[in-house]
Amino acid sequence: MFLSKLLEPVKVAAREAGDLLWQIYQSGDFEYNAKADDSPVTSADYAANHAIIEWLPEPTPTFPIISRRKLPRKGYCNGKIGLGIG
């Protein structure tokens, strides 16, 4: 029963992150970097990840959040998309 109550808020967070990605990619205002394995990652990816991490603690305050998208440096997305990360 707990998981069924959690599903809708998680879906909302995922939709919001997807909308954010779409807006950033459509604007063309994002930075591209290569990860250690040379796979691509953009400031839009970090922004969407940040949005989910900021949103999820509300419905899941005791759940740890494990993320592969760590900011490479403090304030990585600042300025480009105005999220004030860092």
Side-chain angles (χ1 to χ4, degrees), residues 5-27:
K5 290 180 182 179
L6 183 61
L7 182 59
E8 192 57 35
V10 170
K11 288 187 335 188
V12 169
R15 281 189 207 110
E16 289 180 9
D19 289 345
L20 179 61
L21 280 169
W22 181 252
Q23 290 170 14
I24 293 169
Y25 285 135
Q26 289 298 306
S27 76

Side-chain angles (χ1 to χ4, degrees), residues 22-65:
W22 181 252
Q23 290 170 14
I24 293 169
Y25 285 135
Q26 289 298 306
S27 76
D29 191 18
F30 59 90
E31 296 176 13
Y32 165 87
N33 288 298
K35 295 186 282 185
D37 65 357
D38 287 327
S39 61
V41 64
T42 69
S43 55
D45 298 321
Y46 288 110
N49 184 72
H50 180 74
I52 290 171
I53 288 173
E54 286 294 307
W55 193 88
L56 280 182
E58 185 179 324
T60 60
T62 60
F63 287 24
I65 296 174

